[in-house]
Amino acid sequence: MTLLTAIEPVDHHHLEDAVRAIEWSASDRMMALGADGRTLVAGAERLTAPVGPDPIACAWISPDRVAVVDGLLGVVVAGRAPTGIVAGSGPVAVASPSRGADDTTACRQHVVIAGHGGVSVMHADAQRIDEPTVIHCGPVRVLAHLGGAIWLAGGTDGLVVVDVALGCVDQRVELPSVVALAAAPAAGRVVAADASGAIHVLDIAELDNGTELTGYPDPVRHLGIDPTGDVIVAAADDELTWWSIDDHGRVADEPETGLGHDAPITSCAVGRAGFVATGDMGGTLRLWSPRMRDLPVAALELDDEITVTTWSHHGDRLAVGTTGGEIVVADIAVGDLL
């Protein structure tokens, strides 16, 4: 049985420093963030000036504005309306979120930042950038958007559901320190990995009741879930495991396990069609099918350690970044089972 699938590189860019993050806009424009603070949008002609000394994460606010989370400055917003981000444009606003920012997501006008003091929320539109509102809920490392104004935050105090419109905590779920988080909002399911090496499968409507998956000797740093909520993918060291979930929400007793890579896995991303992209320390990118999990269906070799793999919103394009500043954008051509 063979699944005909191809990774077809269509764009190749290079930053002067390691690629820290890559994000796609709703219209599938790509933004890449370098360790030197520069952001690249769509192509080399759209390279901003450095926007911060310690860039960590980035997010699209609008078609012409991006937010960069910086560990020292806070949130830096680059770009301008209505002409968009242009070469050489610097930051147009700076706001200071909770100390020690770690991650950010954006949806509509909300920019949500994870930090040592909790979750910070900025409202940004074409005319202004508001100072953030801090929702104090303990140190937060990772975020997932559940829909509307509701976000899920994971950190040393477990999971917290926050309403960013009201600026309050809706619910707390006591778990060991959360190190990875993934959500399938349409399926009503989230998964969280904790520092002890366990994975928690939770129903969004009833977060207090869930299934704990154990047996990992090391923390699962990279975690993904199929948009249908039927498959969980976890990466620990060089091993890739798949957990299936049936129509009643029951998780399989044992995962499908395989040696995913020859080197430690450094990134993992699940696309809209359920295909999984993983990258490793040796620069190998592998593509996995949800229908055939024992062997990769396609692969690509890069020169340096892969730092990030990110699918476009439409799920047919993949962007990959490395420690050497290389960025490869590839079309994913999915074939049929033979």
Side-chain angles (χ1 to χ4, degrees):
M1 182 172 65
T2 304
L3 185 65
L4 300 179
T5 303
I7 301 176
E8 301 174 353
V10 293
D11 284 312
H12 195 179
H13 309 292
H14 198 277
L15 296 177
E16 292 300 318
D17 212 334
V19 180
R20 288 274 175 91
I22 298 176
E23 290 292 330
W24 292 90
S25 73
S27 60
D28 277 352
R29 294 182 73 203
M30 187 203 72
M31 167 177 56
L33 173 66
D36 62 358
R38 297 178 187 273
T39 60
L40 180 149
V41 180
E45 74 281 1
R46 300 286 188 177
L47 185 65
T48 70
V51 295
D54 184 29
I56 296 168
C58 56
W60 286 89
I61 299 175
S62 69
D64 49 40
R65 274 186 166 181
V66 298
V68 175
V69 170
D70 188 276
L72 297 177
L73 292 181
V75 177
V76 180
V77 177
R80 65 188 186 193
T83 57
I85 301 167
V86 296
S89 65
V92 296
V94 176
S96 299
S98 51
R99 181 174 54 87
D102 286 324
D103 191 14
T104 186
T105 58
C107 182
R108 296 179 182 175
Q109 281 76 44
H110 292 118
V111 180
V112 185
I113 309 105
H116 292 178
V119 173
S120 297
V121 184
M122 289 174 56
H123 184 281
D125 62 21
Q127 304 301 322
R128 71 182 194 279
I129 307 292
D130 287 346
E131 283 296 312
T133 299
V134 180
I135 304 173
H136 297 284
C137 53
V140 175
R141 293 193 189 99
V142 287
L143 296 164
H145 184 214
L146 301 185
I150 306 301
W151 261 259
L152 187 63
T156 56
D157 294 341
L159 291 177
V160 178
V161 180
V162 295
D163 187 321
V164 301
L166 298 178
C168 65
V169 173
D170 271 1
Q171 186 179 355
R172 293 181 180 270
V173 182
E174 292 187 9
L175 293 177
S177 184
V178 174
V179 296
L181 189 61
R189 189 165 292 145
V190 297
V191 288
D194 68 38
S196 73
I199 297 173
H200 305 268
V201 185
L202 308 170
D203 190 314
I204 292 176
E206 198 174 2
L207 287 172
D208 289 328
N209 295 323
T211 302
E212 184 177 356
L213 312 176
T214 59
Y216 292 94
D218 300 308
V220 175
R221 299 291 181 182
H222 307 286
L223 192 63
I225 185 169
D226 184 279
T228 64
D230 295 335
V231 179
I232 298 167
V233 184
D237 197 20
D238 58 0
E239 188 177 82
L240 200 63
T241 54
W242 307 71
W243 296 87
S244 297
I245 304 175
D246 66 20
D247 294 339
H248 302 286
R250 293 187 294 261
V251 184
D253 293 334
E254 296 290 338
E256 296 180 44
T257 304
L259 190 65
H261 283 257
D262 299 324
I265 296 171
T266 53
S267 66
C268 176
V270 183
R272 181 181 293 274
F275 277 74
V276 178
T278 55
D280 69 23
M281 195 174 288
T284 298
L285 172 73
R286 288 180 175 170
L287 193 66
W288 309 82
S289 166
R291 294 180 288 172
M292 191 174 67
R293 305 169 188 168
D294 54 341
L295 292 171
V297 293
L300 189 66
E301 294 293 334
L302 281 71
D303 293 334
D304 300 286
E305 175 183 334
I306 293 173
T307 55
V308 58
T309 52
T310 307
W311 291 90
S312 66
H313 285 268
H314 293 147
D316 57 355
R317 184 161 282 193
L318 182 69
V320 185
T322 73
T323 55
E326 185 178 11
I327 302 168
V328 175
V329 180
D331 285 337
I332 306 301
V334 178
D336 297 319
L337 285 169
L338 298 179

mmCIF file of all heavy atoms in Angstrom, residues 94-124:
data_model
loop_
_atom_site.group_PDB
_atom_site.id
_atom_site.type_symbol
_atom_site.label_atom_id
_atom_site.label_comp_id
_atom_site.label_asym_id
_atom_site.label_seq_id
_atom_site.Cartn_x
_atom_site.Cartn_y
_atom_site.Cartn_z
ATOM 1 N N VAL A 94 4.515 50.075 20.894
ATOM 2 C CA VAL A 94 5.092 49.107 21.821
ATOM 3 C C VAL A 94 4.211 49.064 23.058
ATOM 4 O O VAL A 94 3.823 50.094 23.588
ATOM 5 C CB VAL A 94 6.533 49.493 22.228
ATOM 6 C CG1 VAL A 94 7.073 48.515 23.265
ATOM 7 C CG2 VAL A 94 7.446 49.511 21.011
ATOM 8 N N ALA A 95 3.872 47.870 23.485
ATOM 9 C CA ALA A 95 3.107 47.706 24.719
ATOM 10 C C ALA A 95 3.796 46.661 25.568
ATOM 11 O O ALA A 95 4.426 45.738 25.060
ATOM 12 C CB ALA A 95 1.675 47.267 24.412
ATOM 13 N N SER A 96 3.724 46.794 26.863
ATOM 14 C CA SER A 96 4.407 45.859 27.763
ATOM 15 C C SER A 96 3.410 44.901 28.384
ATOM 16 O O SER A 96 2.591 45.297 29.207
ATOM 17 C CB SER A 96 5.126 46.635 28.872
ATOM 18 O OG SER A 96 6.099 47.483 28.321
ATOM 19 N N PRO A 97 3.461 43.621 27.996
ATOM 20 C CA PRO A 97 2.559 42.638 28.587
ATOM 21 C C PRO A 97 3.100 42.145 29.905
ATOM 22 O O PRO A 97 4.037 42.711 30.461
ATOM 23 C CB PRO A 97 2.557 41.528 27.540
ATOM 24 C CG PRO A 97 3.960 41.569 27.010
ATOM 25 C CD PRO A 97 4.372 43.021 27.043
ATOM 26 N N SER A 98 2.529 41.053 30.414
ATOM 27 C CA SER A 98 3.020 40.490 31.652
ATOM 28 C C SER A 98 4.483 40.101 31.489
ATOM 29 O O SER A 98 4.931 39.715 30.420
ATOM 30 C CB SER A 98 2.185 39.275 32.040
ATOM 31 O OG SER A 98 2.084 38.375 30.962
ATOM 32 N N ARG A 99 5.243 40.223 32.550
ATOM 33 C CA ARG A 99 6.689 40.011 32.511
ATOM 34 C C ARG A 99 7.036 38.629 31.969
ATOM 35 O O ARG A 99 6.422 37.638 32.290
ATOM 36 C CB ARG A 99 7.232 40.168 33.943
ATOM 37 C CG ARG A 99 8.733 39.997 34.079
ATOM 38 C CD ARG A 99 9.161 40.334 35.509
ATOM 39 N NE ARG A 99 8.403 39.546 36.482
ATOM 40 C CZ ARG A 99 8.765 38.330 36.873
ATOM 41 N NH1 ARG A 99 9.848 37.762 36.380
ATOM 42 N NH2 ARG A 99 8.045 37.676 37.776
ATOM 43 N N GLY A 100 8.065 38.566 31.130
ATOM 44 C CA GLY A 100 8.535 37.293 30.612
ATOM 45 C C GLY A 100 7.603 36.673 29.604
ATOM 46 O O GLY A 100 7.149 35.544 29.770
ATOM 47 N N ALA A 101 7.287 37.383 28.538
ATOM 48 C CA ALA A 101 6.358 36.862 27.538
ATOM 49 C C ALA A 101 6.909 35.607 26.885
ATOM 50 O O ALA A 101 8.095 35.496 26.618
ATOM 51 C CB ALA A 101 6.085 37.928 26.494
ATOM 52 N N ASP A 102 6.036 34.633 26.612
ATOM 53 C CA ASP A 102 6.442 33.352 26.045
ATOM 54 C C ASP A 102 5.764 33.020 24.727
ATOM 55 O O ASP A 102 6.336 32.345 23.889
ATOM 56 C CB ASP A 102 6.141 32.205 27.035
ATOM 57 C CG ASP A 102 7.114 32.184 28.198
ATOM 58 O OD1 ASP A 102 8.293 32.488 27.975
ATOM 59 O OD2 ASP A 102 6.686 31.903 29.324
ATOM 60 N N ASP A 103 4.517 33.427 24.533
ATOM 61 C CA ASP A 103 3.769 32.987 23.360
ATOM 62 C C ASP A 103 2.696 34.022 23.060
ATOM 63 O O ASP A 103 2.320 34.817 23.926
ATOM 64 C CB ASP A 103 3.131 31.621 23.641
ATOM 65 C CG ASP A 103 2.564 30.967 22.388
ATOM 66 O OD1 ASP A 103 2.900 31.430 21.274
ATOM 67 O OD2 ASP A 103 1.791 30.007 22.505
ATOM 68 N N THR A 104 2.194 33.992 21.836
ATOM 69 C CA THR A 104 1.101 34.896 21.485
ATOM 70 C C THR A 104 0.209 34.254 20.434
ATOM 71 O O THR A 104 0.656 33.439 19.634
ATOM 72 C CB THR A 104 1.616 36.249 20.955
ATOM 73 O OG1 THR A 104 0.508 37.132 20.773
ATOM 74 C CG2 THR A 104 2.339 36.103 19.643
ATOM 75 N N THR A 105 -1.063 34.616 20.453
ATOM 76 C CA THR A 105 -2.004 34.261 19.398
ATOM 77 C C THR A 105 -2.853 35.495 19.117
ATOM 78 O O THR A 105 -2.936 36.406 19.940
ATOM 79 C CB THR A 105 -2.939 33.094 19.796
ATOM 80 O OG1 THR A 105 -3.658 33.465 20.984
ATOM 81 C CG2 THR A 105 -2.155 31.825 20.053
ATOM 82 N N ALA A 106 -3.487 35.522 17.960
ATOM 83 C CA ALA A 106 -4.339 36.653 17.614
ATOM 84 C C ALA A 106 -5.581 36.156 16.902
ATOM 85 O O ALA A 106 -5.537 35.196 16.147
ATOM 86 C CB ALA A 106 -3.584 37.645 16.727
ATOM 87 N N CYS A 107 -6.692 36.800 17.182
ATOM 88 C CA CYS A 107 -7.946 36.489 16.500
ATOM 89 C C CYS A 107 -8.781 37.756 16.497
ATOM 90 O O CYS A 107 -9.045 38.327 17.562
ATOM 91 C CB CYS A 107 -8.679 35.355 17.208
ATOM 92 S SG CYS A 107 -10.203 34.858 16.401
ATOM 93 N N ARG A 108 -9.183 38.163 15.284
ATOM 94 C CA ARG A 108 -9.900 39.419 15.133
ATOM 95 C C ARG A 108 -9.072 40.539 15.761
ATOM 96 O O ARG A 108 -7.922 40.724 15.420
ATOM 97 C CB ARG A 108 -11.305 39.318 15.736
ATOM 98 C CG ARG A 108 -12.178 38.296 15.010
ATOM 99 C CD ARG A 108 -13.548 38.200 15.639
ATOM 100 N NE ARG A 108 -14.361 37.197 14.964
ATOM 101 C CZ ARG A 108 -15.561 36.833 15.369
ATOM 102 N NH1 ARG A 108 -16.100 37.395 16.437
ATOM 103 N NH2 ARG A 108 -16.245 35.918 14.713
ATOM 104 N N GLN A 109 -9.635 41.302 16.717
ATOM 105 C CA GLN A 109 -8.893 42.421 17.287
ATOM 106 C C GLN A 109 -8.110 42.063 18.546
ATOM 107 O O GLN A 109 -7.452 42.917 19.122
ATOM 108 C CB GLN A 109 -9.843 43.579 17.606
ATOM 109 C CG GLN A 109 -10.229 44.399 16.389
ATOM 110 C CD GLN A 109 -11.242 43.690 15.523
ATOM 111 O OE1 GLN A 109 -12.198 43.117 16.028
ATOM 112 N NE2 GLN A 109 -11.019 43.712 14.227
ATOM 113 N N HIS A 110 -8.182 40.823 19.003
ATOM 114 C CA HIS A 110 -7.508 40.458 20.235
ATOM 115 C C HIS A 110 -6.135 39.859 19.961
ATOM 116 O O HIS A 110 -5.992 38.953 19.158
ATOM 117 C CB HIS A 110 -8.337 39.442 21.031
ATOM 118 C CG HIS A 110 -9.603 40.011 21.587
ATOM 119 N ND1 HIS A 110 -10.850 39.552 21.228
ATOM 120 C CD2 HIS A 110 -9.799 41.015 22.470
ATOM 121 C CE1 HIS A 110 -11.778 40.247 21.871
ATOM 122 N NE2 HIS A 110 -11.170 41.138 22.628
ATOM 123 N N VAL A 111 -5.129 40.380 20.630
ATOM 124 C CA VAL A 111 -3.809 39.769 20.661
ATOM 125 C C VAL A 111 -3.606 39.273 22.083
ATOM 126 O O VAL A 111 -3.662 40.060 23.033
ATOM 127 C CB VAL A 111 -2.701 40.764 20.278
ATOM 128 C CG1 VAL A 111 -1.333 40.091 20.309
ATOM 129 C CG2 VAL A 111 -2.973 41.355 18.908
ATOM 130 N N VAL A 112 -3.387 37.975 22.247
ATOM 131 C CA VAL A 112 -3.318 37.358 23.566
ATOM 132 C C VAL A 112 -1.898 36.864 23.795
ATOM 133 O O VAL A 112 -1.340 36.146 22.964
ATOM 134 C CB VAL A 112 -4.321 36.197 23.687
ATOM 135 C CG1 VAL A 112 -4.334 35.637 25.102
ATOM 136 C CG2 VAL A 112 -5.724 36.670 23.297
ATOM 137 N N ILE A 113 -1.303 37.249 24.933
ATOM 138 C CA ILE A 113 0.093 36.962 25.210
ATOM 139 C C ILE A 113 0.215 36.153 26.494
ATOM 140 O O ILE A 113 -0.423 36.468 27.499
ATOM 141 C CB ILE A 113 0.908 38.265 25.350
ATOM 142 C CG1 ILE A 113 0.670 39.193 24.157
ATOM 143 C CG2 ILE A 113 2.390 37.970 25.488
ATOM 144 C CD1 ILE A 113 -0.219 40.366 24.465
ATOM 145 N N ALA A 114 1.035 35.107 26.450
ATOM 146 C CA ALA A 114 1.335 34.322 27.640
ATOM 147 C C ALA A 114 2.589 34.866 28.290
ATOM 148 O O ALA A 114 3.559 35.194 27.610
ATOM 149 C CB ALA A 114 1.533 32.854 27.257
ATOM 150 N N GLY A 115 2.591 34.947 29.615
ATOM 151 C CA GLY A 115 3.756 35.470 30.319
ATOM 152 C C GLY A 115 3.846 34.967 31.740
ATOM 153 O O GLY A 115 2.996 34.195 32.208
ATOM 154 N N HIS A 116 4.871 35.422 32.459
ATOM 155 C CA HIS A 116 5.109 34.952 33.824
ATOM 156 C C HIS A 116 3.988 35.344 34.772
ATOM 157 O O HIS A 116 3.729 34.651 35.749
ATOM 158 C CB HIS A 116 6.433 35.511 34.347
ATOM 159 C CG HIS A 116 7.625 34.954 33.642
ATOM 160 N ND1 HIS A 116 8.917 35.344 33.923
ATOM 161 C CD2 HIS A 116 7.735 34.033 32.653
ATOM 162 C CE1 HIS A 116 9.756 34.695 33.144
ATOM 163 N NE2 HIS A 116 9.061 33.900 32.365
ATOM 164 N N GLY A 117 3.342 36.461 34.484
ATOM 165 C CA GLY A 117 2.305 36.935 35.395
ATOM 166 C C GLY A 117 0.898 36.524 35.024
ATOM 167 O O GLY A 117 -0.050 36.852 35.726
ATOM 168 N N GLY A 118 0.743 35.812 33.909
ATOM 169 C CA GLY A 118 -0.585 35.396 33.482
ATOM 170 C C GLY A 118 -0.780 35.634 31.999
ATOM 171 O O GLY A 118 0.137 35.468 31.196
ATOM 172 N N VAL A 119 -1.991 36.056 31.624
ATOM 173 C CA VAL A 119 -2.341 36.308 30.231
ATOM 174 C C VAL A 119 -2.598 37.800 30.060
ATOM 175 O O VAL A 119 -3.346 38.403 30.832
ATOM 176 C CB VAL A 119 -3.594 35.504 29.833
ATOM 177 C CG1 VAL A 119 -4.064 35.899 28.438
ATOM 178 C CG2 VAL A 119 -3.303 34.010 29.886
ATOM 179 N N SER A 120 -1.960 38.375 29.038
ATOM 180 C CA SER A 120 -2.198 39.781 28.716
ATOM 181 C C SER A 120 -2.990 39.864 27.419
ATOM 182 O O SER A 120 -2.772 39.073 26.501
ATOM 183 C CB SER A 120 -0.882 40.537 28.566
ATOM 184 O OG SER A 120 -0.175 40.546 29.786
ATOM 185 N N VAL A 121 -3.889 40.819 27.344
ATOM 186 C CA VAL A 121 -4.773 40.963 26.185
ATOM 187 C C VAL A 121 -4.652 42.378 25.647
ATOM 188 O O VAL A 121 -4.830 43.355 26.387
ATOM 189 C CB VAL A 121 -6.238 40.670 26.555
ATOM 190 C CG1 VAL A 121 -7.122 40.741 25.312
ATOM 191 C CG2 VAL A 121 -6.363 39.315 27.243
ATOM 192 N N MET A 122 -4.334 42.478 24.348
ATOM 193 C CA MET A 122 -4.288 43.770 23.674
ATOM 194 C C MET A 122 -5.421 43.852 22.671
ATOM 195 O O MET A 122 -5.764 42.857 22.041
ATOM 196 C CB MET A 122 -2.969 43.946 22.919
ATOM 197 C CG MET A 122 -1.750 44.153 23.771
ATOM 198 S SD MET A 122 -0.264 44.158 22.734
ATOM 199 C CE MET A 122 -0.661 45.460 21.557
ATOM 200 N N HIS A 123 -5.976 45.038 22.530
ATOM 201 C CA HIS A 123 -6.940 45.287 21.471
ATOM 202 C C HIS A 123 -6.264 46.180 20.452
ATOM 203 O O HIS A 123 -5.746 47.235 20.785
ATOM 204 C CB HIS A 123 -8.205 45.958 22.013
ATOM 205 C CG HIS A 123 -9.268 46.145 20.971
ATOM 206 N ND1 HIS A 123 -9.224 47.171 20.052
ATOM 207 C CD2 HIS A 123 -10.381 45.429 20.690
ATOM 208 C CE1 HIS A 123 -10.275 47.088 19.257
ATOM 209 N NE2 HIS A 123 -10.986 46.044 19.615
ATOM 210 N N ALA A 124 -6.234 45.738 19.196
ATOM 211 C CA ALA A 124 -5.552 46.498 18.155
ATOM 212 C C ALA A 124 -6.448 46.606 16.930
ATOM 213 O O ALA A 124 -6.954 45.606 16.436
ATOM 214 C CB ALA A 124 -4.244 45.815 17.781
#
